[in-house]
């Protein structure tokens, strides 16, 4: 693409005028403009015309008297005018500006004009680009339980027309590639904010998403996660029963990992299990209701807070192959406490007679292995 500018000196010195070619860039002064067309005085080349949607977009802020550059898209139309485009030149200037912003790691504002399931569609100085979902900030990331594509699309559509601060993540003029990131634009801010916190701090935040494995929280612009195991002291099957999007919550920081906070809601209150278990000791007899039966034993509800395990080896003085042959769900029996592990929240019970010979090591190891397998299966 060559640039053709005819100066007054060239004309006075009778210099030959280079013939215009398609894609040449010419410079001219705006002599007239209306809603549909814009006319340029190109000097020795005559008059150029710009029309179509470019008047609404590229030329909307231009005024009569402005000197602008345009590219030739037709040497001569039916009226003998040179047909020009402002957009192509503006796009090249846009690439120049974007390369400068990329080099300087500049943070700037963009306004998405559309959204698809992968992210936001943007246009900067005539250059189209993309803001992937994965590069949205924690505040704008569509946290949706499961794979609700309609809800994700709805969340992304709500960002169309809003100004988002971004930084260029990848740029390739030759390939026409422009990828921006809202997350990267906030990285320095996030790192600075994280430095203000430490493990054990109590924080306030707003719930931004509730998913199967926990709750996402915005803590002063930083993303935090309350894992499902840290929502409440009792067993949590559905986080949405405890909190809703937009709800204000309090939590304690239990870990700081890169640019995220790991939070706990339950640790704000005393562990009721620890409080209640302190009233029991090995050898005590307790009443309990069978709640679950597994191949390795049965789970027993002692109190609304404490659930204990009777390993299959502790169901009878005789060898047992099927726990269902001895106990039923809903049945209430009297058990004996044989082990308490406060750190792991584990209480072990037995239906064996006190006089029976106890096999401690092997059942204990089997209980630990099999209980982990059960927990993994239910997770």
């Amino acid at each position: 693409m060559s640039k053709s500018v005819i100066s007054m000196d060239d004309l006075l010195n009778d210099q030959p005028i280079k013939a215009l070619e398609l894609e040449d860039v010419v410079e001219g002064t705006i002599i007239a403009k209306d809603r549909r067309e814009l006319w340029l005085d190109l000097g020795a080349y005559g008059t150029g015309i710009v029309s179509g949607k470019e008047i609404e977009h590229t030329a909307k802020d231009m005024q009569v008297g402005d000197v602008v550059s345009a590219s030739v898209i037709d040497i001569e139309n039916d009226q003998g005018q040179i047909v020009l485009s402002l957009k192509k030149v503006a796009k090249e200037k846009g690439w120049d500006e974007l390369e400068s912003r990329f080099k300087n790691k500049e943070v700037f504002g963009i306004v998405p004009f559309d959204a698809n399931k992968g992210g936001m569609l943007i246009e900067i100085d005539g250059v189209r680009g993309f803001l992937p979902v994965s590069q949205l900030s924690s505040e704008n990331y569509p946290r949706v339980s499961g794979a609700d594509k309609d809800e994700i699309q709805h969340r992304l559509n709500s960002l169309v027309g809003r100004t988002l601060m971004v930084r260029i993540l990848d740029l390739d003029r030759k390939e026409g590639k422009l990828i921006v990131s809202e997350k990267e634009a906030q990285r320095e801010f996030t790192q600075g904010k994280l430095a203000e916190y430490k493990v054990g701090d109590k924080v306030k935040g707003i719930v931004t998403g509730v998913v199967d494995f926990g709750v996402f929280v915005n803590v002063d612009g930083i993303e935090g996660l309350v894992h499902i195991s840290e929502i409440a002291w009792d067993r949590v099957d559905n986080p949405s029963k405890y909190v809703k999007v937009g709800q204000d919550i309090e939590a304690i920081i239990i870990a700081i990992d890169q640019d995220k906070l790991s939070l706990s809601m339950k640790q704000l209150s005393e562990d009721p299990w620890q409080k209640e278990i302190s009233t029991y000791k090995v050898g005590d007899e307790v009443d309990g209701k069978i709640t679950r039966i597994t191949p390795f034993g049965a789970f027993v509800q002692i109190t609304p807070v404490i659930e204990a395990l009777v390993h299959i080896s502790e169901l009878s003085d005789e060898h047992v192959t099927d726990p269902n042959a001895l106990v039923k769900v809903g049945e209430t029996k009297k058990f004996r406490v044989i082990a308490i592990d406060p750190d792991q929240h584990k209480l072990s019970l037995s239906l064996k007679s006190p006089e029976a010979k106890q096999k401690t090591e092997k059942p204990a190891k089997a209980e630990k292995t099999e209980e982990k397998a059960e927990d993994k299966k239910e997770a």
Side-chain angles (χ1 to χ4, degrees), residues 46-112:
T47 302
I49 186 170
V50 179
S51 60
K53 292 184 178 179
E54 291 193 35
I55 304 301
E56 299 177 26
H57 302 289
T58 311
K60 64 179 181 179
D61 296 324
M62 295 179 179
Q63 305 295 329
V64 172
D66 289 349
V67 177
V68 298
S69 296
S71 60
V72 177
I73 58 176
D74 193 351
I75 302 300
E76 186 176 5
N77 63 10
D78 295 339
Q79 287 75 43
Q81 299 162 325
I82 301 168
V83 182
L84 306 170
S85 172
L86 298 168
K87 188 174 182 179
K88 194 165 188 178
V89 176
K91 189 173 183 179
E92 290 302 316
K93 288 182 179 179
W95 279 112
D96 292 341
E97 177 66 21
L98 289 170
E99 286 176 344
S100 174
R101 288 175 170 177
F102 187 36
K103 180 180 178 181
N104 296 323
K105 297 182 179 180
E106 182 182 336
V107 174
F108 57 95
I110 55 100
V111 180

Side-chain angles (χ1 to χ4, degrees), residues 55-286:
I55 304 301
E56 299 177 26
H57 302 289
T58 311
K60 64 179 181 179
D61 296 324
M62 295 179 179
Q63 305 295 329
V64 172
D66 289 349
V67 177
V68 298
S69 296
S71 60
V72 177
I73 58 176
D74 193 351
I75 302 300
E76 186 176 5
N77 63 10
D78 295 339
Q79 287 75 43
Q81 299 162 325
I82 301 168
V83 182
L84 306 170
S85 172
L86 298 168
K87 188 174 182 179
K88 194 165 188 178
V89 176
K91 189 173 183 179
E92 290 302 316
K93 288 182 179 179
W95 279 112
D96 292 341
E97 177 66 21
L98 289 170
E99 286 176 344
S100 174
R101 288 175 170 177
F102 187 36
K103 180 180 178 181
N104 296 323
K105 297 182 179 180
E106 182 182 336
V107 174
F108 57 95
I110 55 100
V111 180
F113 67 86
D114 202 358
N116 60 32
K117 62 181 180 181
M120 313 305 300
L121 307 181
I122 63 172
E123 184 170 333
I124 307 170
D125 297 328
V127 179
R128 292 209 167 188
F130 194 60
L131 170 55
V133 171
S134 62
Q135 293 302 318
L136 287 169
S137 66
S138 59
E139 180 182 0
N140 292 324
Y141 190 90
R143 303 289 183 189
V144 177
S145 182
D148 190 340
K149 295 181 180 179
D150 290 339
E151 180 60 22
I152 291 175
Q153 187 67 55
H154 174 73
R155 299 275 187 92
L156 294 178
N157 287 341
S158 71
L159 299 177
V160 174
R162 283 178 49 186
T163 299
L164 306 177
M165 301 306 293
V166 300
R167 179 177 282 162
I168 297 173
L169 196 64
D170 195 8
L171 182 72
D172 189 324
R173 185 191 292 229
K174 185 177 180 181
E175 298 294 328
K177 184 180 182 181
L178 170 62
I179 306 294
V180 299
S181 170
E182 187 185 26
K183 186 189 295 184
E184 282 297 315
Q186 294 188 3
R187 186 170 296 279
E188 291 177 9
F189 165 82
T190 301
Q191 293 299 326
K193 281 290 184 182
L194 281 174
E196 300 175 6
Y197 296 104
K198 63 182 184 299
V199 172
D201 284 351
K202 184 169 149 181
V203 296
K204 295 181 179 181
I206 300 174
V207 175
T208 58
V210 180
V211 293
D212 295 339
F213 57 86
V215 179
F216 285 94
V217 185
N218 183 330
V219 180
D220 199 17
I222 303 172
E223 181 176 80
L225 173 66
V226 182
H227 189 266
I228 188 171
S229 62
E230 292 295 331
I231 293 175
W233 287 112
D234 54 340
R235 187 181 184 89
V236 178
D237 296 317
N238 185 357
S240 64
K241 291 182 179 179
Y242 291 79
V243 294
K244 304 296 180 185
V245 172
Q247 181 178 334
D248 293 325
I249 67 164
E250 290 187 345
I252 288 178
I253 298 174
I254 57 175
I256 299 176
D257 181 20
Q258 296 181 349
D259 58 350
K260 294 181 181 179
L261 298 173
S262 292
L263 307 171
S264 174
M265 292 168 60
K266 73 180 187 181
Q267 292 186 34
L268 286 172
S269 59
E270 182 181 1
D271 182 355
W273 196 95
Q274 297 288 358
K275 183 178 180 180
E276 291 194 13
I277 203 66
S278 65
T279 63
Y280 296 95
K281 62 182 185 296
V282 173
D284 285 352
E285 288 191 342
V286 296

Side-chain angles (χ1 to χ4, degrees), residues 349-360:
L349 305 176
S350 177
L351 278 174
K352 282 183 174 182
S353 61
E355 296 79 16
K357 185 179 179 181
Q358 304 296 307
K359 294 181 180 180
T360 55

